Amino acid sequence: MVPLIAANDLVKAFPASRSLRDMARGHRPVLRAVNGVSLAVAAGRALGIVGESGCGKTTTARLLLRLEEATSGTVLFEGQNVSALHGAALLPFRSRVQLVFQNPFDALNPRFTIRRSLTEPLRNFGLPAAQWEAMIREAMARVRLDPAEAYLDRHPHELSGGQLQRVVLARALVTHPRAIIADEPVSMLDVSVRAGVLNVLRRARDELQLAAIYISHDLALIRYVCEEVAVMYLGRIVESGPTAEVIAGAAHPYTRALVAAVPVPRVDQDRGDLPIIGGLPDQRNQPSGCAFRDRCPLAFARCAEEAPPLRAIAPGRHAACHLA
Amino acid sequence: MPGASAMRRRPLPGFVGSGLGFLRKQPFAVAGLAIYLTFILLAIFADQIATHDPREILFRGAYRVARYLPPSATHYLGTTAGGRDVFSQLVHGTRSALQVGVTAAFFVVVIGTLLGLLSGYLGGWVDRVIMRISDIILGLPFLPFVLVISALTRPGTTTLVASVALMLWPNTARVIRSQVLSLRERGWVEAARVTGCSTPRIIFVHIAPQVAPLAALYGSIAVGWAILTEASASFLGFGDPNAISWGLMLQDAFANQALSRGVWTWFVPPGLCIVLLVLAGFLVSRGSEKLLFPKLGD
């Protein structure tokens, strides 16, 4: 399997706020939002990145899209290192890797008609104007906004959330990209329209053989659309593998906690206690050894001394836990 | 194009409809616009409205300068110490006031918006340089600086407009910058980057239209400031000596002790006109503030 898009040991460090003591000592503390993430997705496949708020999954997506420059590590697209590209050199990459936004109400310029929003990428990527109308209509048909005329000359405020997200999807697909990154694609939508948008995304992925990366906090969604999953905790991948296997037999205690936290559609169900407590620790005062140690129900002496590396535990499966 | 049928049914652009409704709900803004309109008409038709040549020294009988004539059917507001018609000077003064106000406001808006956009979107050293320059200018006392510039260069309208533009752009730039700082975090700006927009295209095609109403607001404030400054500078003798302006009328009246002579019709009208025109600017900006920030209370 040759990956279409891959990340090697990506690190993104942001300057953190400095205390007076830091200044006196000349320290420049950094916050590693992403701390050595490697992943790979082949054409026609979907990878889900799952984790709680603040685990670095959105930053990972922004690094993959080159919206953010990595502190270290590389992003490879079709074997080419795109980390070093800037300005106009980045355009071919931009036209082939597109983003679906979390908030459809904020993702379209409120002053542009839908047609104008869809024309922007075609113009920017230098496609001949004669093809624009046909490509726009193809994209609108692909996201099931029929008939296109009913939407193209409207402004975003005239459409519903589900329709807007389909337009956002159409804009991502209009230039025929090779890979698509969806950051919480349905979390802002009504539950009733979520499945529709997800199905459109999945069908587009199959028909166009896209490499897809879904960012979500919702394991149920990931299971619905992704063959592979990577679980992130504090900027690192702690477990990865085929989605069904990871969910059925989670090797890392954090993954187990995520699985246990998935809501079940039964109101009277007693969920029992969640296996982990507390929230994310302060990034600057991470525990020694394993970053998950202070919340882990299984932590023992070795966890404090030694950070477990991400290692293979079965064919295609990796986990970062001494017990896995 | 198959979109033609849809084009026909396209509704009225939202801002036209809301603009009309806004006018109904904003009597102050309407009053401000009405004052502007009156003065604009006065300026355009000054030659037709004025009863005399504003520079002409009038005589009554042989060699007797028609000084300090009381208001009458021929001289609506009487005459000056130099025997010139006050009403005609007032009408022609509208031209220089509007000229100064509008050109200065234009430059304030253009410079302020441009620098605010660049400062807010590019950030980094561009932002730091622009903001430090604006700090320095905001620290300079406004009128004394204008007077020094006028004294050092040839006094005249150009110098005045240039120094007003130089002194007032930082206010506009700062407000535009803060607006851009919030706009640049919006999803659709990010989307513009992902869909391959160049930085100039993001700034001028995507972001600039969003800050245009705010820029217009600062423009209408700048009109008032420029007119006040021109009047002040002219009154203090730093204006264009050949122009006919309200400030110069006031200076003329002051120099001839019109106040102690009680020639109210000479110096009250130009003062009133300055107040009205400046007031109009603030009324309009207050009204557009309601349009821009509808959530602000009274």
Side-chain angles (χ1 to χ4, degrees), chain A residues 143-166:
Chain A
V143 298
R144 303 292 192 272
L145 283 176
D146 273 327
E149 296 84 60
Y151 303 95
L152 284 177
D153 293 306
R154 293 200 176 173
H155 285 84
H157 68 91
E158 298 174 77
L159 303 188
S160 73
Q163 290 168 335
L164 285 176
Q165 195 60 311
R166 284 166 193 251

Side-chain angles (χ1 to χ4, degrees), chain B residues 225-238:
Chain B
W225 271 108
I227 290 169
L228 273 182
T229 310
E230 192 268 348
S232 312
S234 299
F235 179 74
L236 296 172
F238 292 92

Side-chain angles (χ1 to χ4, degrees), chain A residues 48-319:
Chain A
I49 300 178
V50 70
E52 65 197 296
S53 310
C55 72
K57 51 194 196 300
T58 295
T59 309
T60 305
R62 292 173 56 85
L63 289 172
L64 288 170
L65 283 157
R66 271 305 318 275
L67 281 171
E68 206 86 68
E69 213 156 326
T71 309
S72 67
T74 51
V75 175
L76 295 174
F77 179 73
E78 294 180 325
Q80 190 200 1
N81 183 357
V82 294
S83 314
L85 299 182
H86 284 279
L90 208 54
L91 268 186
F93 170 73
R94 289 251 180 272
S95 75
R96 318 201 77 184
V97 182
Q98 277 298 315
L99 170 66
V100 176
F101 288 82
Q102 172 174 18
N103 184 353
F105 299 96
D106 193 48
L108 297 161
N109 189 326
R111 286 173 186 254
F112 283 13
T113 59
I114 304 305
R115 185 193 302 279
R116 180 130 189 241
S117 281
L118 293 180
T119 313
E120 277 288 294
L122 298 171
R123 174 208 305 276
N124 292 333
F125 298 136
L127 287 126
Q131 294 178 17
W132 291 356
E133 187 67 22
M135 293 181 86
I136 288 172
R137 275 164 197 276
E138 184 201 322
M140 290 294 273
R142 207 177 279 290
V143 298
R144 303 292 192 272
L145 283 176
D146 273 327
E149 296 84 60
Y151 303 95
L152 284 177
D153 293 306
R154 293 200 176 173
H155 285 84
H157 68 91
E158 298 174 77
L159 303 188
S160 73
Q163 290 168 335
L164 285 176
Q165 195 60 311
R166 284 166 193 251
V167 172
V168 171
L169 201 51
R171 176 178 63 192
L173 296 173
V174 73
T175 51
H176 297 173
R178 300 283 292 125
I180 200 154
I181 297 178
D183 185 1
E184 302 275 12
V186 295
S187 68
M188 297 282 290
L189 300 181
D190 279 353
V191 179
S192 56
V193 298
R194 285 186 181 180
V197 169
L198 285 178
N199 287 337
V200 162
L201 246 170
R202 185 160 60 177
R203 203 160 35 224
R205 191 248 296 184
D206 290 341
E207 288 170 9
L208 301 171
Q209 282 297 294
L210 299 171
I213 295 175
Y214 289 81
I215 313 284
S216 182
H217 64 278
D218 182 358
L219 259 183
L221 180 154
I222 298 286
R223 187 174 62 178
Y224 187 60
V225 287
C226 301
E227 296 87 31
E228 305 256 342
V229 65
V231 180
M232 278 187 80
Y233 184 77
L234 277 183
R236 290 189 182 86
I237 291 179
V238 295
E239 180 162 8
S240 65
T243 313
E245 287 177 39
V246 170
I247 289 176
H252 196 284
Y254 180 66
T255 315
R256 262 174 251 156
L258 280 186
V259 174
V262 171
V264 223
R266 267 184 57 196
V267 183
D268 55 345
Q269 162 135 353
D270 178 14
R271 312 177 44 145
D273 289 331
L274 284 179
I276 61 170
I277 44 158
L280 286 174
D282 185 345
Q283 284 256 355
R284 279 163 296 173
N285 305 312
Q286 284 188 26
S288 63
C290 177
F292 185 56
R293 173 170 68 88
D294 59 340
R295 296 171 77 190
C296 183
L298 307 176
F300 59 108
R302 192 180 163 200
C303 301
E305 291 152 17
E306 191 187 335
L310 188 66
R311 58 194 171 84
I313 53 165
R317 290 192 59 186
H318 295 78

Side-chain angles (χ1 to χ4, degrees), chain B residues 247-285:
Chain B
L248 217 56
M249 288 175 73
L250 288 175
Q251 198 237 348
D252 198 11
F254 175 75
N256 287 291
Q257 283 142 10
L259 186 63
S260 54
R261 284 171 190 270
V263 195
W264 307 97
T265 50
W266 187 4
F267 60 84
V268 170
L272 212 58
C273 282
I274 295 171
V275 170
L276 275 177
L277 201 46
V278 173
L279 182 72
F282 284 97
L283 287 176
V284 169
S285 61

